[in-house]
Structure formats: structure tokens, C-alpha cells
């Protein structure tokens, strides 16, 4: 097959993105257009339909709507406030305390809800007035919120890791989940390092945990334990082989529902909004996965992945050079494309190259998702950036300068994850999930 057709596929897709066509539509339309050029009309149409169905016909994907539902229940379940109080208790003694509270709360709430956007919105709304009252620069506070909220996409349970499992051909979800802890925590700690030095430079003082009595400490811990218990129940059950990731997602829904009822924060009026948001997000994700399956087939048919692989390997046979080049490409892609479609499109292209050079699939998953997590916090198409600025009422162009130091340190952390495999593989090996 003429490789020029594969190049046309990529160019057509990028053109549609440039003119603001919705990402899922751009994936589907560019793939269909190319298929109509290389196959008879009826064959192309039937093949596209089959690929969409087979792309979403996966038991593992059932976990996604349930985790989304659990996250939406938590958003209105009063969980964010309890986790923020725990964060104040744990990191409130550090200079620039509220910045560190924001980061730590994002890590916890993002892990519990599985959504960077939900973390940015919930934590940003709750802490925003306090940050402003304490005199923190609003642009810096927004940058801290935006840079740290993607940590929840690595710390399980994570829909992104489930999507990777499906598109990579069945990589163990349990191994991916347990592998995400260290990179996710490193993302949060990297942001805390930057926030610490900025706070010292600006003279921000410690204030977040002033006045806590022993009784307050015990009350805060007692209130937060049930919220964090979701992680231990779901992840512990999956790793222990008690239930699958999909069954764990169903348990997450029941747990979050029961917890919200106990907190008495969930009302009947919330159910319509929760169900609508869950249905919308699930529909978008499944359409993305189905459309990306068409594109993956079209790319494979035209030989585009092989061409890209040959091109990269022709530059050098040194794994260090190839992995750096791969990261540069993904960082650029992440600036213009959301995480899920990027994982769906570029995993089939880059994963064969990575495994050929000796990278474990789980290690590759941590690298690509950490990389693309940086992208959702950067302009021009960073969803977390848009949400964070919307919540705080700041302009994106004013936040960009403040977020650059965080992105720089996150890129350094990305390189550590890329070139030190044990960061990603230690825990899966320790729990016997990989050899």
C-alpha cells in the first residue's frame, strides 16, 4: 500500500483539528475519507461499522462508566472538603501551606474520583476563597491547581489506564493500577518542590494548620478515612484477585453512594445531574474509542505505523535518543490533543517501537500517560487549564507564565520515569503482578 495515503490520513486529521472540528468527529471523518479512497464504498462502510463495534466490545471498558459515575457521586458527596482538611493537617506546616494543601488535595481527590478536571474544579472552588483571603497570587494559585490535578489520572483507579489496557492489547489492569502510584505521587511531589521555592521567594507563611487541637486532628482523620477507604477497597480487591477492575468499578459506585448517604450530602435533586453527566462523558469516551479503532485500522492498512517506526529507528538505534524523541513528539501532541484520544491513537504507533527497544508495556504506559498529563495542563488545548482558569476567574494568558516552572520540573520527572524503569515496575513486581 502506498504510504502517501497514510500521510494524507494524518494530514487530514491534523487539518480538521486545526479548524476546530471535535476530536472524535475528526478521527472518524478523516479515517472514513481515506478508507473510501482505498476500498469500495460498501466495503469501507461495513468495515468502519465493524471496527466501531469491536472497538468498544470489551468487558474491561465497562469499568469506565462505573468509575465516572462513582466520581460524579463524590463530586456532590462532600468528600472534597474532608480531603482538603486532611491535606491541611498533613502539609499545612510547609511554607506556602495552602499551595501544598491544594496539591495534596488534588492528589487525593483525583485518585478517589479518577478525574483531573473534577479535582481542579472541586478543590479549586473550595480553596480558592481561602487562597485569595490569605493574599496568595491568584495566577500562581491557579497554576498550582492546574499543574497538580492530573496526578489523579495516574493514581488509581484511573480510566486512562483502563483505556491503555484495551488499546495495548490487554495489558494487566491490576499491574497498571499498582504501577501508577509512584509516578502519580512523584507528579504531586514535583509540584510541591516548585511551590516551596516560589513560596520562600514570595515570603508566603505557614497558616493552613494553625490552631488544630488534638481533638481537631482526630476528627479530621476520622472524617477522611472513609473517603480514602474507597482506594483501599477497590485497589486492594483488584490486586488481591477478589474481583476484576470492572467489578471493582461497580463496588466503587456502591461505596461512594453509601458514603454520600452517610454524609447526608446526596439529595434526590442531584441524581438527574449525576446521570446526565455520566451518560455524556461515557458516550464521548466510547465514541472516541470506537472512532480511534477505525483510525488504528486505517493506519495499519496504509502502513503508517511501520513508516513512523522505520523513520525513528533510522535516526538512531540508541534507545535514549529514541525515547527522548518519542517524549518530545508526545509533549507536542499533548498541547493540542486531550489525553484519551492521544492514548488511543499513539499507543499503537509508539508501543511497538518501545517494546522493540526493550521497554516493558507497563513502563511505557506510565511514560505516555505522565507525558500527556503534562499536556492537559498546558495551552492551547489543556482541558485542566481551561477548567482551572474558569474556576478561579483568571485569564489563561496570565496563568501561562506562572505554570511554566511547574511544567519544566514535571518534564524532568518525566525523564526520570522514562529512564529509570523501576520507578514504574517496582510495585507491580513486589505484588507479583509481573515477573
Amino acid at each position: 500500500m502506498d504510504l502517501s495515503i497514510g500521510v494524507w490520513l494524518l494530514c487530514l486529521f491534523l487539518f480538521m483539528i486545526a479548524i476546530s472540528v471535535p476530536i472524535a468527529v475528526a478521527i472518524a471523518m478523516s479515517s472514513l475519507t481515506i478508507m473510501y479512497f482505498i476500498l469500495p464504498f460498501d466495503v469501507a462502510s461495513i468495515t468502519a461499522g465493524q471496527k466501531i463495534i469491536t472497538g468498544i466490545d470489551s468487558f474491561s471498558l465497562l469499568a469506565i462508566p462505573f468509575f465516572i459515575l462513582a466520581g460524579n457521586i463524590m463530586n456532590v458527596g462532600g468528600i472534597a472538603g474532608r480531603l482538603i482538611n486532611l491535606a491541611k493537617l498533613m502539609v499545612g506546616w510547609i511554607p506556602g501551606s495552602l499551595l501544598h494543601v491544594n496539591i495534596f488535595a488534588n492528589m487525593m481527590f483525583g485518585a478517589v474520583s479518577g478525574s483531573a478536571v473534577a479535582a481542579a474544579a472541586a478543590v479549586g472552588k473550595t480553596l480558592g476563597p481561602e487562597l485569595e483571603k490569605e493574599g496568595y497570587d491568584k495566577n500562581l494559585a491557579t497554576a498550582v491547581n492546574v499543574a497538580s490535578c492530573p496526578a489523579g489520572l495516574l493514581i488509581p483507579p484511573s480510566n486512562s489506564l483502563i483505556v491503555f489496557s484495551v488499546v495495548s492489547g490487554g495489558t494487566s489492569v491490576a499491574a497498571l493500577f499498582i504501577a501508577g502510584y509512584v509516578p502519580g505521587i512523584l507528579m504531586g511531589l514535583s509540584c510541591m518542590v516548585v511551590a516551596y521555592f516560589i513560596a520562600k521567594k514570595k515570603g508566603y507563611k505557614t497558616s493552613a494548620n494553625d490552631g488544630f487541637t488534638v481533638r481537631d486532628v482526630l476528627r479530621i482523620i476520622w472524617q477522611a478515612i472513609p473517603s480514602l477507604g474507597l482506594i483501599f477497597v477497590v485497589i486492594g480487591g483488584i490486586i488481591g484477585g477478589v474481583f476484576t477492575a470492572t467489578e471493582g468499578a461497580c463496588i466503587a459506585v456502591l461505596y461512594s453512594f453509601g458514603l454520600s448517604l452517610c454524609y447526608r450530602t446526596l439529595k434526590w435533586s442531584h441524581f438527574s445531574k449525576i446521570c446526565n453527566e455520566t451518560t455524556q462523558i461515557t458516550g464521548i469516551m466510547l465514541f472516541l474509542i470506537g472512532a480511534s479503532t477505525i483510525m488504528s485500522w486505517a493506519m495499519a492498512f496504509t502502513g503508517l505505523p511501520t513508516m513512523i517506526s522505520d523513520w525513528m529507528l533510522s535516526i538512531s538505534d540508541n534507545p535514549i535518543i529514541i525515547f527522548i524523541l518519542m517524549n518530545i513528539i508526545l509533549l507536542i501532541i499533548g498541547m493540542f490533543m486531550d489525553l484519551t484520544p492521544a492514548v488511543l491513537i499513539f499507543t499503537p504507533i509508539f508501543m511497538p517501537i518501545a517494546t522493540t527497544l526493550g521497554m516493558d508495556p507497563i513502563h511505557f504506559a506510565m511514560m505516555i500517560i505522565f507525558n500527556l498529563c503534562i499536556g492537559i495542563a498546558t495551552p492551547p488545548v489543556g482541558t485542566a487549564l481551561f477548567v482551572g482558569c474558569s474556576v478561579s476567574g483568571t485569564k489563561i494568558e496570565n496563568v501561562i507564565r506562572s505554570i511554566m516552572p511547574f511544567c519544566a520540573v514535571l518534564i524532568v520527572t518525566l525523564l526520570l520515569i522514562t529512564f529509570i524503569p523501576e520507578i514504574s515496575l517496582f510495585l507491580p513486581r513486589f505484588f507479583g503482578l509481573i515477573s
Side-chain angles (χ1 to χ4, degrees), residues 151-204:
L153 298 177
L154 284 160
I155 302 174
S158 168
N159 290 331
S160 301
L161 295 175
I162 296 172
V163 170
F164 178 89
S165 172
V166 173
V167 75
S168 65
T171 306
S172 168
V173 174
L176 288 170
F177 274 8
I178 197 67
Y181 276 108
V182 176
I185 292 171
L186 283 178
M187 176 174 281
L189 291 177
S190 299
C191 293
M192 292 180 74
V193 169
V194 179
Y196 174 82
F197 284 106
I198 293 177
K200 293 287 284 186
K201 181 179 179 180
K202 291 182 176 289
Y204 293 138

Side-chain angles (χ1 to χ4, degrees), residues 84-100:
I84 287 173
N85 288 334
L86 179 63
K88 288 180 179 180
L89 179 65
M90 297 186 70
V91 297
W93 52 272
I94 306 174
S97 52
L98 285 181
L99 298 178
H100 300 287

Side-chain angles (χ1 to χ4, degrees), residues 131-324:
L131 285 158
E132 189 172 355
K133 181 180 177 181
E134 292 286 337
Y136 286 85
D137 179 76
K138 183 178 284 190
N139 295 327
L140 173 62
T142 304
V144 168
N145 189 33
V146 170
S148 60
C149 69
L153 298 177
L154 284 160
I155 302 174
S158 168
N159 290 331
S160 301
L161 295 175
I162 296 172
V163 170
F164 178 89
S165 172
V166 173
V167 75
S168 65
T171 306
S172 168
V173 174
L176 288 170
F177 274 8
I178 197 67
Y181 276 108
V182 176
I185 292 171
L186 283 178
M187 176 174 281
L189 291 177
S190 299
C191 293
M192 292 180 74
V193 169
V194 179
Y196 174 82
F197 284 106
I198 293 177
K200 293 287 284 186
K201 181 179 179 180
K202 291 182 176 289
Y204 293 138
K205 298 179 180 179
T206 302
S207 60
N209 62 352
D210 288 351
F212 281 160
T213 64
V214 174
R215 185 175 181 179
D216 290 333
V217 171
L218 295 175
R219 175 180 55 82
I220 289 170
I221 294 174
W222 177 255
Q223 289 179 344
I225 284 176
S227 301
L228 294 175
L230 172 66
I231 299 176
F232 294 102
V233 170
V234 174
I235 304 305
I238 293 173
I239 294 172
V242 179
F243 41 74
T244 65
T246 302
E247 293 163 346
C250 298
I251 291 172
V253 172
L254 294 175
Y255 189 101
S256 58
F257 179 73
L259 193 60
S260 298
L261 290 179
C262 291
Y263 287 158
R264 298 182 180 179
T265 51
L266 191 63
K267 302 177 181 178
W268 283 110
S269 58
H270 293 145
F271 280 93
S272 176
K273 180 182 178 182
I274 289 172
C275 293
N276 284 336
E277 289 185 358
T278 301
T279 303
Q280 290 174 7
I281 297 172
T282 301
I284 292 170
M285 290 194 69
L286 291 180
F287 183 37
L288 271 171
I289 294 169
S292 298
T293 305
I294 303 176
M295 176 170 276
S296 297
W297 182 89
M299 287 192 301
F301 191 82
T302 59
L304 184 61
T306 303
M307 182 193 71
I308 295 175
S309 177
D310 292 342
W311 169 70
M312 292 184 69
L313 293 174
S314 69
I315 294 175
S316 173
D317 57 359
N318 188 331
I320 295 176
I321 301 298
I322 298 299
F323 291 150
I324 290 176

